[in-house]
Amino acid sequence: MSDNEQRDQSQAPAEPVPGPQPEPIRFFGTTWADHDNGYALRRAGVAAGSLAAAVLGAYLLRLAYEGLEIGDVGPFLSISVVVLFAIASSIAFAKTWESFGRRPRPSSDEAALKGLKAIGFIGSLVAYFLRSLSEAPGEKLRRAEYESAVAEFARRRSARTGNPAARRSKRRK
């Protein structure tokens, strides 16, 4: 191979793909768009991983509860801790499930709920597990956005009819 051929190949810029590109999803990248490159295996892995993490988290919470029992803190505190984690987990489940179907508004209370969602992490993990049984979490929302962007791009591209400078100007009567 000559030096010129090598230089041409190394300096050849990668051609950008025209049109909108799919937004990557955590753990899936852009494989959700065409369900390729191990998409089904990734979904199974995410489902198994989130379920395993939820079970491990529940086990750790059980150990913490047993620690409270050993410490003999009383029934009020023991029941309060269980109720707190149950409420936090249900709120985290609901908010995580909602986030798969819509984008949060910029002025929403999502930032204020981060601590509550961290406490109720089991609810978030269960929501992630349940959603990953049917699709990549957030796929439906991103697919709708991507398909509307592709349709809008195609509509804009088809409206173009050539070089506007080459058009004849309209004659006035």
Side-chain angles (χ1 to χ4, degrees):
M1 203 180 253
S2 71
D3 289 335
N4 288 338
E5 289 174 343
Q6 286 179 344
R7 198 175 311 122
D8 289 343
Q9 287 180 353
S10 65
Q11 294 177 354
E15 276 200 36
V17 179
Q21 299 300 311
E23 182 181 348
I25 296 176
R26 181 183 301 148
F27 304 122
F28 294 93
T30 58
T31 61
W32 61 267
D34 296 324
H35 292 191
D36 59 354
N37 294 333
Y39 170 80
L41 187 61
R42 289 179 191 209
R43 253 190 44 210
V46 166
S50 60
L51 182 62
V55 168
L56 179 66
Y59 181 72
L60 291 175
L61 287 178
R62 180 175 178 236
L63 289 177
Y65 180 77
E66 287 177 1
L68 289 175
E69 289 296 317
I70 291 171
D72 196 27
V73 294
F76 178 74
L77 186 59
S78 296
I79 292 172
S80 296
V81 168
V82 170
V83 169
L84 168 76
F85 276 104
I87 291 172
S89 290
S90 64
I91 291 172
F93 177 87
K95 291 298 180 182
T96 303
W97 194 263
E98 283 177 14
S99 72
F100 297 144
R102 65 168 175 79
R103 297 248 184 215
R105 291 170 291 184
S107 64
S108 69
D109 296 331
E110 293 295 319
L113 292 176
K114 281 187 179 181
L116 188 66
K117 286 173 78 173
I119 293 169
F121 65 97
I122 293 176
S124 292
L125 289 170
V126 169
Y128 215 79
F129 166 72
L130 291 175
R131 183 57 76 141
S132 63
L133 291 177
S134 62
E135 66 179 8
E139 177 182 348
K140 185 176 182 180
L141 171 68
R142 285 176 176 82
R143 185 171 301 284
E145 291 173 351
Y146 176 64
E147 287 174 354
S148 68
V150 167
E152 176 68 20
F153 180 77
R155 186 186 63 77
R156 285 192 321 237
R157 290 288 276 188
S158 66
R160 297 179 186 166
T161 57
N163 185 357
R167 292 185 193 150
R168 291 186 181 185
S169 60
K170 295 181 181 180
R171 295 184 184 180
R172 295 187 179 178
K173 292 182 184 179

